[in-house]
Amino acid sequence: MVERSILFRARPASAGRRSVSATLAACALGFTLAGCGGGGSPAAPGPAAAPSCDLAYTVTDSPLLAGLDPLLGEQWHLRNTGQNGGTPGEDLRALDVWTASPPTRGEGVRVAVIDDAVETVHPDLAPNVVPGASFSYRPSSRGSALPLPCRAEQDDHGTAVAGLIAARDGNAIGGAGVAPRAGLVGLDALSTSLDADIADALGREREVNAVYNNSWGSIDNGKLHPAEVAFTTAIEDGLGTGRGGLGSVFVFPAGNGGCYLPEGGNASTCQRDNANFDGYVNKRGTIAVCAVDDTGRQPWYGEPGANVLVCAPSSGDRPQRVTTTALKGAYRNDFSGTSASTPMVSGVVALMLSAKPELSWRDVRLILAETARRNDPADSGWTQSPASGLWFNHKYGFGVADARAAVARARTWTTVGRRDDLLVCTANAAAGPRPIADAVGNAPGAPLVDAVAVAGCGIGRIEFVEVIPRLAHAYAGDLRITLESPSSTVSELADTRLCGGAGSDPCGAFEGWTFGSVRHLNEPSNGTWRLTVQDRLPADVGSLNGWTLRIHGRP
């Protein structure tokens, strides 16, 4: 089992919540639900709840009301009119899709939420929960179709996430999700965090579950965190066999490591993590999502990466947060981090698939990138590819997901094919060993540039690039690594950082690590590719012993 992080952990139950009704009480289902924690009214004989549980529920069939959602105006991520000083238009443009001609609100698309728990009986979620499709991995309730929260201060994350995807619209309570008529499936695999449970959840009912939302990832500490074999296998199987071969869509957060403290550090040693150090999100089969605030700018926790595809709204340096569902049928206005931005993109994907179910997982990625809105346009990190015309920023990927533009493009999109239609070209560079010049004082060492020529590759439009360096270095955190394409666009793969902790190289050695990049999307593959390695901190030395370039794409 590896250590995983929920991004962000929600606040305790008393923080920033609103309650619309008290329809949930003690368990009364004829047996004790371990997910609800027992307590309250006596239940019929059945397995006892875990002693640490403090939540209890009564599940009733309530009529679906009709009327305006009272919190919809607070949900600036759906339509930003400048609430509380935000920038008008800095939103997902989702409401425009609901009222377009023809409209779509996610009908017919199932989104699985893999998290700590999901309050599937929440009155704003229950209308969209697919009957019998959810699954609990919690030992005391394993197999139950009700993966309900057990502990108020620990199991409140998945419910907030689910509300951002598919809280019901037009039911006169609460707010609405991005795809408010999509089907919801709750999978509480993070209640155990076992590798086997995570892998099972990522593939559960992949024929009918279209999107898998994962608002979690490796801990943000600047270290390399490889994915387990079971995870990688589940992703690959989903790409090939999900939805009848169209492929499952896996959405993950880019991370919240924009300002982490190395072990033994303090506030003055704040470091910046990179999304490419997380083995869950640097793969061609996962969509890495960053966050922007209500002015369209990167928040303090924003984590860059050449593997970041698109952003979505969340919190930032300003006090504005996100309004969504909370435990016990309530609501909260303090949700935050890439935990919030990730389900918004899952909701946008649900809208796209509702408009055109035949989209493959590759189509989804391309449409999101090509239709993303270039936020914070004055930021110096934006560069345009002369070959593809696409703008990219390592802070923001291709920009903020634009639901209106993505759905419109989806309706007329011609598929690029499925997983097995992808072309792959590989080039190996036998570089050495070539010594990497060490930094001297505050002066970085001379950059080491190594080139490899790609010729005869049939890929005319790149979809994903992988770089596997063979590096020997005493402290990999000293290194800055970039890749330049034949079109002169640059992927920033790694930068210097301090990690702290024990061991000869606590950051993790880059030897054999696979970096992923979407930066070169739609560019041609043939030509000279250059890998640059620079040592920017003194005292430790190393060498480049070769590297492998792997390009995925289409003619």
Side-chain angles (χ1 to χ4, degrees):
M1 185 176 75
V2 299
E3 190 170 6
R4 299 179 177 89
S5 175
I6 288 178
L7 308 174
F8 285 142
R9 164 63 63 188
R11 294 181 184 176
S14 60
R17 306 286 174 89
R18 293 182 180 85
S19 177
V20 293
S21 62
T23 60
L24 306 175
C27 290
L29 293 179
F31 60 95
T32 300
L33 289 175
C36 76
S41 303
S52 60
C53 291
D54 55 24
L55 291 172
Y57 295 92
T58 295
V59 181
T60 59
D61 290 327
S62 301
L64 187 61
L65 303 176
L68 297 177
D69 303 308
L71 298 181
L72 189 62
E74 292 186 19
Q75 294 185 294
W76 60 270
H77 60 280
L78 296 176
R79 176 165 289 165
N80 190 339
T81 59
Q83 301 98 314
N84 299 318
T87 302
E90 285 294 343
D91 54 49
L92 293 167
R93 301 179 180 175
L95 269 64
D96 295 338
V97 178
W98 303 356
T99 57
S101 181
T104 179
R105 303 191 182 196
E107 296 90 343
V109 180
R110 284 172 49 158
V111 182
V113 177
I114 302 176
D115 218 288
D116 54 5
V118 177
E119 192 172 271
T120 53
V121 297
H122 191 293
D124 223 0
L125 300 179
N128 289 333
V129 172
V130 179
S134 298
F135 186 90
S136 179
Y137 293 87
R138 200 181 300 274
S140 53
S141 60
R142 192 175 186 92
S144 167
L146 291 166
L148 296 172
C150 174
R151 297 172 297 272
E153 295 190 8
Q154 297 184 35
D155 293 337
D156 54 357
H157 189 265
T159 299
V161 167
L164 291 174
I165 299 170
R168 186 75 168 205
D169 67 308
N171 60 349
I173 59 171
V178 175
R181 300 295 172 95
L184 268 177
V185 176
L187 304 172
D188 63 359
L190 293 194
S191 66
T192 69
S193 208
L194 295 173
D195 297 347
D197 289 344
I198 296 289
D200 182 82
L202 289 166
R204 181 163 288 274
E205 294 195 287
R206 60 167 59 104
E207 280 293 316
V208 286
N209 289 336
V211 186
Y212 293 82
N213 185 89
N214 304 271
S215 287
W216 51 271
S218 299
I219 55 176
D220 295 309
N221 56 8
K223 301 181 181 183
L224 301 183
H225 294 279
E228 314 82 56
V229 173
F231 174 91
T232 302
T233 300
I235 296 296
E236 194 63 31
D237 288 348
L239 300 181
T241 65
R243 292 190 301 137
L246 292 172
S248 307
V249 180
F250 299 101
V251 188
F252 278 82
N256 295 332
C259 181
Y260 74 88
L261 299 181
E263 294 177 34
N266 53 53
S268 65
T269 58
C270 179
Q271 304 291 305
R272 196 172 200 188
D273 206 348
N274 190 300
N276 238 315
F277 302 158
D278 186 338
Y280 297 129
V281 300
N282 64 0
K283 292 177 169 48
R284 64 185 172 88
T286 59
I287 293 173
V289 179
C290 51
V292 297
D293 66 12
D294 62 343
T295 68
R297 294 181 176 86
Q298 184 184 50
W300 62 268
Y301 56 82
E303 193 170 322
N307 57 317
V308 175
L309 193 74
V310 291
C311 289
S314 187
S315 65
D317 297 333
R318 292 168 30 76
Q320 187 75 289
R321 298 292 187 267
V322 175
T323 298
T324 184
T325 45
L327 298 186
K328 304 297 287 183
Y331 298 87
R332 56 182 299 165
N333 61 1
D334 65 347
F335 204 47
S336 184
T338 46
S339 272
S341 56
T342 299
M344 295 183 195
V345 171
S346 291
V348 172
V349 174
L351 294 174
M352 294 164 60
L353 293 178
S354 181
K356 190 161 187 176
E358 309 87 52
L359 296 176
S360 72
W361 66 272
R362 293 169 58 196
D363 298 329
V364 168
R365 294 171 61 90
L366 289 168
I367 293 171
L368 284 173
E370 292 181 13
T371 61
R373 175 173 54 80
R374 185 155 61 102
N375 59 297
D376 194 9
D379 187 86
S380 61
W382 287 106
T383 57
Q384 187 179 27
S385 168
S388 70
L390 293 175
W391 289 87
F392 186 86
N393 189 322
H394 287 81
K395 293 179 183 178
Y396 304 123
F398 293 97
V400 173
D402 186 326
R404 181 177 64 195
V407 169
R409 183 75 61 87
R411 293 189 188 279
T412 61
W413 184 264
T414 300
T415 185
V416 300
R418 305 183 179 196
R419 182 196 66 179
D420 294 344
D421 299 318
L422 265 175
L423 301 178
V424 183
C425 295
T426 302
N428 291 295
R434 295 180 61 185
I436 302 169
D438 193 17
V440 178
N442 294 324
L448 170 60
V449 182
D450 195 71
V452 64
V454 175
C457 177
I459 296 175
R461 285 169 289 183
I462 293 171
E463 293 182 31
F464 198 75
V465 172
E466 295 170 312
V467 177
I468 304 101
R470 295 187 292 280
L471 275 167
H473 197 279
Y475 193 86
D478 288 0
L479 303 178
R480 175 178 171 80
I481 305 173
T482 61
L483 175 74
E484 183 179 357
S485 75
S487 300
S488 300
T489 56
V490 176
S491 286
E492 298 172 6
L493 303 178
D495 211 341
T496 55
R497 78 273 185 209
L498 300 175
C499 300
S504 57
D505 189 357
C507 290
F510 286 132
E511 176 68 28
W513 183 259
T514 299
F515 292 100
S517 176
V518 297
R519 172 65 190 98
H520 312 290
L521 195 73
N522 288 346
E523 294 181 356
S525 61
N526 290 329
T528 300
W529 293 77
R530 293 178 174 84
L531 187 74
T532 300
V533 182
Q534 185 179 35
D535 192 320
R536 300 176 65 84
L537 294 173
D540 300 294
V541 297
S543 63
L544 176 64
N545 302 321
W547 57 288
T548 297
L549 175 69
R550 187 179 299 128
I551 305 171
H552 305 262
R554 61 195 188 280

